Amino acid sequence: TIDRLGNTDQSIIRMAIYELLYTKTPGIVVINEAIELAKSFSDDDVKNMINGILDKIYKDKVDHE
């Protein structure tokens, strides 16, 4: 669950999900920015998890459009 992540990790995920769903920023740009933030502030396991979560949300959004 998201509660198991640190505050920084939670913020990265929440910010990226909002940007994916409610802005016109290209999804790939949002994911790349979130990954770069995770590289700077998180460990590799969390970075990979963030990538997986955002990729799934992005693909679901594209499939619904």
Side-chain angles (χ1 to χ4, degrees), residues 5-47:
L5 296 173
N7 291 334
T8 304
D9 304 325
Q10 289 181 29
S11 296
I12 292 170
I13 291 173
R14 287 180 175 137
M15 179 180 59
I17 290 172
Y18 177 85
E19 202 169 352
L20 278 173
L21 297 178
Y22 301 109
T23 69
K24 294 184 181 192
T25 306
I28 201 74
V29 172
V30 173
I31 294 171
N32 285 338
E33 288 176 355
I35 297 305
E36 289 301 317
L37 287 170
K39 283 180 185 177
S40 297
F41 299 106
S42 301
D43 62 21
D44 284 340
D45 291 336
V46 174
K47 176 187 64 115

